[in-house]
Every structure is written in C-alpha cells, then in structure tokens.
Amino acid sequence: MIAAAGLRKSFGDKVVLDGIDLDIAEGTIFSMLGPNGAGKTTTVRILSTLIRPDSGTVSVAGHDLATRPDAVRAAIGVTGQFSAVDNLLTGAENLAMMAGLLRLDRRHRDRRVAGLLDQFDLADAAGKPASTYSGGMRRRLDLAMTLVGSPKVIFLDEPTTGLDPRSRRAMWDRIRELAVGGVTIFLTTQYLEEADRLADRIVVLDQGRIVADGTAAELKRRVPGGHIRLQFADSARLRAARSVLGAARVHEDALALEVPGAGDVRALRDLLDRLDAAAIEIDALSVHTPDLDDVFLALTGRPVEEVAR
C-alpha cells in the first residue's frame, strides 16, 4: 500500500532523510519510531504530498507520488500532531465541513456524519462547540474528520500526544478497529508502549536513516538482557539452585535467581529439567524480556526519556 525507495530530503545543509526504503502492506499498522529530529514528520509530510522529496520514488495506494499526487490525496487521510478541529463549530459541523470539502452529496454526507459521530462516541456532544470538548474528545473528532472520505491509508503523526492514559487507550481501540476494517495505518509516535501495543511492524529512524525494521518481538530479541527469574521458599533451595545452574544473578534478600536467557520454550524446559533432576523446587517463575525502551536505547544511544523532550 505504501512503497518508497531511496527517499532523501534536506533542509539547507541539514540532511533529514538519507535514503530510506519502505514497503508497507495493506491493512496493517506500521509504526515509525525515532527521537525528535529523526525525520518522522518529514516522512509523513512527503508521503502525504505536503512537501516534495529531493530524490527517491514513492507509491501510495498504487499511485505514483510524483506524477499522480491528486490520486494519492484522494486515497489518504492525515491526522497531524496538532488538532485540525475548528473550535467555533460543533462536532457535527466540523464533520459536515469536511464532507462539503470532499463534495459528498447531502444524503451521503448526513449518513457519514451520523455514522462517524456514533463510531467515535461523540453523538451526545455532536451539537456542542468543539471548544468545550476534552482533549480526548477533540482527538477522536480529529480522527473522525480524517475518515469522512473513507481513505485507504491514514497517516497518524503522534496522534495521542498529550492525552491522559484512558483517552490514549480509547484512541488505540479506534486505530485497531480501522486496521481490522482494511485501512492501512502509518503511525509515528514517541510512546514506545503505543508502538508495542499497536504495530504489526516497526522501523526505528535515527539521523535520517532506518536503523532497525521488524515486529516488536523481533526488535526485542536483538537486545541482550532477557532472563528467567526463579523464586525460592528458602535460602537452602536458592543456594542449591545456584550450584546447579551456574551463571545466575543472586538476590539473597528476595530469595531469587536471575538466569540469563531468551526465555523460549526450549530454554525453560532445559532449566526446569535440570532443577527437577536435582530435586529442587521453585516457588515461582517469570520470564523477563527487553522492552522497546531497551531497544531504543541500544539502537539510538539515547534513553527514551530524551525522546519526549
């Protein structure tokens, strides 16, 4: 649904995109991560026809970006970092305005507006000015406005920035519903949990280049630090397990061992067999794998806390 090859963009002497390639399948949620200034928003602006690349080829929904930009615009919707909601209009009027700009006939327009108000839980507030909406309601209305034209591809540029946890999760539910319905989602975000929860595939962009590409699980496996944590009832069992397992981090106060490993089925079976052969019982077992914060730090050299600044 989205394909790009050798995409480059500079502003003056600053290279923002340095030859990135993309291949995004239909009906998937694709997430682009990266620190501020990595080129995420520039990528969205190019793919949505707002600016031209310096070089490279792009196809969106089967249309060449350079030769058929109007066809690309007809196939996409964009929800940017900042709300496009008109505060002087009601929720219904904002949606009707978008329908008018898209030249929908009145009958289709009224059905579409009513359906989107219901879909995004805004029907009760449809007649109220958008200026009275909460942050979560405004963001839902913003996304609903993007959907008026039934786009095949939606670009969501940090769509939940500034939302409280409850509103963010409600937005996640809407995004998942869109993907299930066959819409392709291009998501940029500074919330690593958001990418972890939503994305079918993730790329990490740093200094204008893609430094990693894969599912969340694949990216996590690239980073060391996974371990299996074993809890014991007493210090005697803890010491016995340590002698059997060898390399392990001991937590004397917690009566626990941390055994390095990926925590896959084979590793777990081997570990439990060794303890069983030595007649050592464990009280509890848990598997700990690196999260996307660890991935981000390993790939960009910066902790996730710096991303949000």
Side-chain angles (χ1 to χ4, degrees):
M1 188 56 71
I2 300 174
L7 202 59
R8 287 179 169 83
K9 183 67 179 178
S10 298
F11 295 101
D13 294 334
K14 181 175 177 55
V15 177
V16 180
L17 295 178
D18 192 12
I20 69 169
D21 301 326
L22 299 171
D23 186 5
I24 303 171
E26 181 179 0
T28 59
I29 301 177
F30 174 92
S31 182
M32 179 174 280
L33 301 178
N36 288 333
K40 303 187 302 296
T41 297
T42 298
T43 302
V44 170
R45 294 180 70 194
I46 289 173
L47 297 178
S48 59
T49 77
L50 293 176
I51 60 175
R52 293 176 178 269
D54 295 334
S55 62
T57 60
V58 180
S59 171
V60 179
H63 307 296
D64 185 87
L65 191 73
T67 61
R68 303 193 63 198
D70 288 342
V72 172
R73 293 181 191 117
I76 67 173
V78 181
T79 298
Q81 292 183 27
F82 305 102
S83 175
V85 170
D86 189 323
N87 286 326
L88 299 179
L89 302 180
T90 66
E93 288 169 344
N94 269 286
L95 291 170
M97 176 184 67
M98 289 299 300
L101 292 171
L102 292 168
R103 300 180 182 177
L104 301 185
D105 64 74
R106 179 172 291 276
R107 183 183 303 175
H108 186 194
R109 180 191 68 188
D110 292 344
R111 286 201 307 267
R112 189 66 177 148
V113 168
L116 287 168
L117 288 169
D118 285 336
Q119 181 181 350
F120 286 86
D121 297 327
L122 293 170
D124 291 342
K128 298 179 181 178
S131 59
T132 65
Y133 285 16
S134 66
M137 292 171 67
R138 287 170 59 84
R139 214 52 175 139
R140 295 204 307 272
L141 177 59
D142 205 17
L143 182 54
M145 291 169 65
T146 301
L147 294 174
V148 170
S150 302
K152 297 178 181 178
V153 179
I154 296 177
F155 295 97
L156 301 178
D157 194 9
E158 301 182 14
T160 63
T161 297
L163 296 185
D164 61 81
R166 182 176 181 181
S167 297
R168 185 173 299 127
R169 284 173 173 75
M171 182 65 80
W172 292 350
D173 290 341
R174 300 298 183 278
I175 293 170
R176 290 190 190 97
E177 290 168 3
L178 292 172
V180 169
V183 178
T184 303
I185 309 291
F186 188 110
L187 170 71
T188 74
T189 180
Q190 292 184 345
Y191 297 111
L192 302 189
E193 181 191 8
E194 186 162 274
D196 204 356
R197 295 279 191 98
L198 292 177
D200 299 303
R201 188 165 139 239
I202 298 169
V203 299
V204 180
L205 193 67
D206 190 34
Q207 298 180 352
R209 295 182 178 182
I210 292 175
V211 296
D213 183 348
T215 65
E218 288 169 345
L219 295 183
K220 291 173 187 177
R221 284 198 293 269
R222 294 178 55 173
V223 178
H227 63 269
I228 302 165
R229 184 180 176 93
L230 304 172
Q231 195 83 32
F232 298 92
D234 52 57
S235 57
R237 293 178 184 177
L238 174 67
R239 289 192 297 271
R242 182 183 182 185
S243 66
V244 168
L245 299 176
R249 184 178 179 184
V250 181
H251 297 272
E252 293 279 2
D253 293 342
L255 296 176
L257 286 180
E258 289 184 5
V259 182
D264 55 23
V265 173
R266 180 177 296 178
L268 285 172
R269 184 182 294 118
D270 177 67
L271 185 148
L272 293 174
D273 285 346
R274 291 165 66 189
L275 292 174
D276 188 54
I280 301 171
E281 294 185 4
I282 60 173
D283 267 16
L285 178 151
S286 56
V287 177
H288 298 258
T289 58
D291 59 20
L292 284 183
D293 294 45
D294 301 315
V295 172
F296 195 90
L297 175 59
L299 294 173
T300 70
R302 278 163 279 186
V304 68
E305 289 80 3
E306 291 185 13
V307 180
R309 291 177 184 170

Coordinates of all heavy atoms in Angstrom, one line a residue, residues 167-201:
S167 N -7.8 8.2 27.7 CA -8.1 8.6 26.4 C -7.2 8.0 25.4 O -7.5 7.7 24.2 CB -7.9 10.2 26.3 OG -8.9 10.8 27.2
R168 N -5.9 7.8 25.8 CA -4.9 7.2 24.8 C -5.4 5.7 24.5 O -5.4 5.3 23.3 CB -3.6 7.1 25.5 CG -2.5 6.6 24.6 CD -1.1 6.8 25.2 NE -0.8 8.2 25.4 CZ -0.4 8.7 26.6 NH1 -0.2 7.9 27.6 NH2 -0.2 9.9 26.7
R169 N -5.8 5.0 25.5 CA -6.3 3.6 25.2 C -7.5 3.6 24.4 O -7.7 2.7 23.5 CB -6.5 2.9 26.5 CG -5.2 2.5 27.2 CD -5.4 1.9 28.6 NE -4.1 1.3 29.1 CZ -3.1 2.1 29.6 NH1 -3.2 3.4 29.6 NH2 -2.0 1.5 30.0
A170 N -8.4 4.6 24.6 CA -9.6 4.7 23.7 C -9.2 4.9 22.3 O -9.8 4.3 21.4 CB -10.5 5.8 24.2
M171 N -8.2 5.8 22.1 CA -7.8 6.0 20.7 C -7.1 4.8 20.1 O -7.3 4.5 18.9 CB -6.8 7.2 20.7 CG -6.2 7.6 19.4 SD -7.5 8.2 18.3 CE -7.6 9.9 18.9
W172 N -6.4 4.0 20.9 CA -5.8 2.8 20.4 C -6.9 1.8 19.9 O -6.7 1.2 18.9 CB -5.0 2.1 21.5 CG -3.8 2.8 22.0 CD1 -3.2 3.9 21.3 CD2 -3.0 2.5 23.1 NE1 -2.1 4.2 22.0 CE2 -1.9 3.4 23.1 CE3 -3.0 1.5 24.1 CZ2 -0.9 3.4 24.1 CZ3 -2.0 1.5 25.1 CH2 -1.0 2.5 25.1
D173 N -8.0 1.7 20.7 CA -9.1 0.9 20.2 C -9.6 1.3 18.9 O -9.9 0.4 18.0 CB -10.2 0.9 21.3 CG -9.9 0.2 22.6 OD1 -8.9 -0.6 22.6 OD2 -10.5 0.5 23.6
R174 N -9.8 2.6 18.6 CA -10.3 3.1 17.3 C -9.3 2.7 16.2 O -9.7 2.4 15.1 CB -10.5 4.6 17.4 CG -11.5 5.1 18.4 CD -12.9 4.5 18.2 NE -13.9 5.0 19.1 CZ -14.1 4.5 20.3 NH1 -13.3 3.5 20.8 NH2 -15.0 5.0 21.1
I175 N -8.0 2.9 16.5 CA -7.0 2.6 15.5 C -7.0 1.1 15.1 O -6.9 0.8 13.9 CB -5.6 3.0 16.0 CG1 -5.5 4.6 16.1 CG2 -4.5 2.6 15.1 CD1 -4.3 5.1 16.8
R176 N -7.1 0.3 16.1 CA -7.2 -1.2 15.8 C -8.4 -1.5 15.0 O -8.3 -2.3 14.0 CB -7.3 -2.0 17.1 CG -6.0 -2.0 17.9 CD -6.1 -3.0 19.1 NE -5.0 -2.9 20.0 CZ -5.0 -2.2 21.2 NH1 -6.2 -1.6 21.5 NH2 -4.0 -2.1 22.0
E177 N -9.5 -0.9 15.3 CA -10.8 -1.1 14.5 C -10.6 -0.8 13.0 O -11.1 -1.5 12.1 CB -11.9 -0.3 15.1 CG -12.4 -0.8 16.5 CD -13.3 0.1 17.2 OE1 -13.7 1.2 16.6 OE2 -13.7 -0.1 18.3
L178 N -9.9 0.3 12.8 CA -9.7 0.8 11.4 C -8.8 -0.2 10.7 O -9.1 -0.6 9.5 CB -9.0 2.1 11.4 CG -9.8 3.3 11.9 CD1 -8.9 4.6 12.0 CD2 -10.9 3.6 11.0
A179 N -7.8 -0.8 11.3 CA -6.9 -1.7 10.6 C -7.7 -3.0 10.4 O -7.5 -3.6 9.3 CB -5.7 -2.0 11.5
V180 N -8.5 -3.5 11.3 CA -9.3 -4.7 11.1 C -10.3 -4.5 9.9 O -10.5 -5.4 9.1 CB -10.2 -5.0 12.4 CG1 -11.2 -6.0 12.1 CG2 -9.2 -5.4 13.5
G181 N -10.7 -3.2 9.7 CA -11.6 -2.9 8.5 C -10.8 -2.8 7.2 O -11.4 -2.4 6.2
G182 N -9.5 -3.0 7.2 CA -8.7 -2.9 6.0 C -8.0 -1.7 5.7 O -7.3 -1.6 4.7
V183 N -8.1 -0.7 6.6 CA -7.4 0.6 6.4 C -5.9 0.4 6.8 O -5.6 -0.3 7.8 CB -8.0 1.7 7.3 CG1 -7.2 3.0 7.1 CG2 -9.4 1.9 6.9
T184 N -5.0 0.9 6.0 CA -3.6 0.9 6.3 C -3.2 2.1 7.2 O -3.5 3.2 6.8 CB -2.7 0.9 5.0 OG1 -3.1 -0.2 4.2 CG2 -1.2 0.8 5.3
I185 N -2.5 1.9 8.3 CA -2.2 2.9 9.3 C -0.7 3.1 9.3 O 0.1 2.2 9.5 CB -2.7 2.6 10.7 CG1 -4.1 2.2 10.7 CG2 -2.4 3.7 11.6 CD1 -5.1 3.3 10.4
F186 N -0.3 4.4 9.0 CA 1.1 4.8 9.2 C 1.2 5.6 10.4 O 0.7 6.8 10.5 CB 1.6 5.6 8.0 CG 3.1 5.8 7.9 CD1 3.9 5.2 7.0 CD2 3.6 6.8 8.8 CE1 5.3 5.5 7.0 CE2 5.0 7.0 8.8 CZ 5.8 6.4 7.9
L187 N 1.8 5.1 11.5 CA 1.8 5.7 12.8 C 3.2 6.2 13.2 O 4.1 5.4 13.2 CB 1.2 4.7 13.8 CG 1.4 5.1 15.3 CD1 0.4 6.2 15.7 CD2 1.1 3.8 16.2
T188 N 3.3 7.5 13.5 CA 4.6 7.9 14.2 C 4.2 8.2 15.6 O 3.1 8.7 15.9 CB 5.2 9.2 13.5 OG1 4.4 10.3 13.8 CG2 5.2 9.0 12.0
T189 N 5.1 7.9 16.5 CA 4.8 8.1 17.9 C 6.1 8.2 18.7 O 7.1 7.7 18.3 CB 4.0 6.9 18.5 OG1 3.7 7.1 19.9 CG2 4.7 5.6 18.3
Q190 N 5.9 8.9 19.9 CA 7.0 9.0 20.8 C 6.8 8.1 22.0 O 7.6 8.0 22.9 CB 7.2 10.4 21.3 CG 7.7 11.3 20.2 CD 8.0 12.7 20.7 OE1 7.6 13.1 21.8 NE2 8.7 13.5 20.0
Y191 N 5.6 7.4 22.0 CA 5.3 6.5 23.1 C 5.6 5.1 22.6 O 4.9 4.5 21.8 CB 3.8 6.6 23.4 CG 3.4 7.9 24.0 CD1 2.6 8.8 23.2 CD2 3.8 8.4 25.2 CE1 2.2 10.0 23.7 CE2 3.4 9.6 25.7 CZ 2.6 10.4 25.0 OH 2.2 11.6 25.4
L192 N 6.7 4.5 23.2 CA 7.1 3.2 22.8 C 6.0 2.1 23.1 O 5.9 1.1 22.4 CB 8.4 2.8 23.4 CG 9.6 3.8 23.1 CD1 10.9 3.2 23.6 CD2 9.7 4.1 21.6
E193 N 5.3 2.3 24.2 CA 4.2 1.4 24.6 C 3.2 1.4 23.5 O 2.6 0.3 23.2 CB 3.6 1.8 25.9 CG 2.5 0.8 26.3 CD 1.7 1.3 27.5 OE1 1.9 2.5 27.9 OE2 0.9 0.6 28.0
E194 N 2.9 2.5 22.9 CA 1.9 2.6 21.8 C 2.3 1.8 20.6 O 1.5 1.0 20.1 CB 1.8 4.1 21.4 CG 0.7 4.4 20.4 CD 0.4 5.9 20.4 OE1 -0.5 6.3 21.3 OE2 0.9 6.6 19.6
A195 N 3.5 1.9 20.2 CA 4.0 1.1 19.1 C 4.0 -0.4 19.4 O 3.6 -1.3 18.6 CB 5.4 1.5 18.7
D196 N 4.4 -0.7 20.7 CA 4.4 -2.1 21.1 C 3.0 -2.7 21.1 O 2.8 -3.9 20.7 CB 5.0 -2.2 22.5 CG 5.6 -3.5 22.9 OD1 5.5 -4.5 22.0 OD2 6.1 -3.7 24.0
R197 N 2.0 -2.0 21.5 CA 0.6 -2.5 21.6 C 0.0 -2.5 20.2 O -0.8 -3.4 20.0 CB -0.2 -1.5 22.5 CG 0.2 -1.5 23.9 CD -0.4 -2.7 24.7 NE -0.2 -2.5 26.2 CZ -1.1 -2.0 27.0 NH1 -2.3 -1.6 26.5 NH2 -0.9 -1.8 28.3
L198 N 0.3 -1.6 19.3 CA -0.5 -1.5 18.1 C 0.2 -2.0 16.9 O -0.5 -2.6 16.0 CB -0.8 0.0 17.8 CG -1.7 0.7 18.8 CD1 -1.8 2.2 18.4 CD2 -3.1 0.1 18.8
A199 N 1.5 -1.8 16.7 CA 2.1 -2.0 15.4 C 2.3 -3.5 15.0 O 2.8 -4.3 15.8 CB 3.4 -1.3 15.4
D200 N 2.0 -3.8 13.8 CA 2.3 -5.1 13.2 C 3.8 -5.1 12.8 O 4.4 -6.1 12.8 CB 1.5 -5.3 11.9 CG 0.0 -5.3 12.2 OD1 -0.4 -6.2 13.0 OD2 -0.7 -4.5 11.6
R201 N 4.3 -3.9 12.5 CA 5.7 -3.8 12.1 C 6.2 -2.4 12.5 O 5.5 -1.4 12.5 CB 5.9 -3.9 10.6 CG 7.3 -4.0 10.1 CD 7.4 -4.6 8.7 NE 8.4 -3.8 7.9 CZ 8.2 -3.1 6.8 NH1 6.9 -3.1 6.4 NH2 9.1 -2.5 6.2

